[in-house]
Amino acid sequence: MHKKLYLSRSDRMITGLCGGVAEWLGTGAGLVRVLTAAAALFSCGTVLVIYLLASLVVPKSPYGLQ
């Protein structure tokens, strides 16, 4: 069974994308946030644009699924 990627409703700081990716990967949200921030710095903002676009495209987690 494949897991679906959702924006996290419970583990969010800005949009819930990093929390959702962490749930999807089965890892800690702090690690995903640090890696995302580092990638955004080293990519001259490209990762930031991808983050914002993904936050608009990825659906929010259903209420029963947390």
Side-chain angles (χ1 to χ4, degrees):
M1 182 172 144
H2 296 289
K3 289 184 179 180
K4 290 191 175 187
L5 177 61
Y6 293 110
L7 298 178
S8 177
R9 291 184 184 269
S10 59
D11 191 5
R12 61 187 305 171
M13 293 191 81
I14 299 175
T15 64
L17 183 63
C18 288
V21 169
E23 291 172 11
W24 185 63
L25 292 174
T27 187
L31 175 64
V32 174
R33 288 184 183 110
V34 167
L35 291 175
T36 302
L41 288 173
F42 290 114
S43 70
C44 299
T46 304
V47 171
L48 183 61
V49 172
I50 294 169
Y51 176 90
L52 293 173
L53 290 174
S55 296
L56 295 172
V57 174
V58 175
K60 289 185 180 178
S61 174
Y63 279 106
L65 187 74
Q66 294 198 32

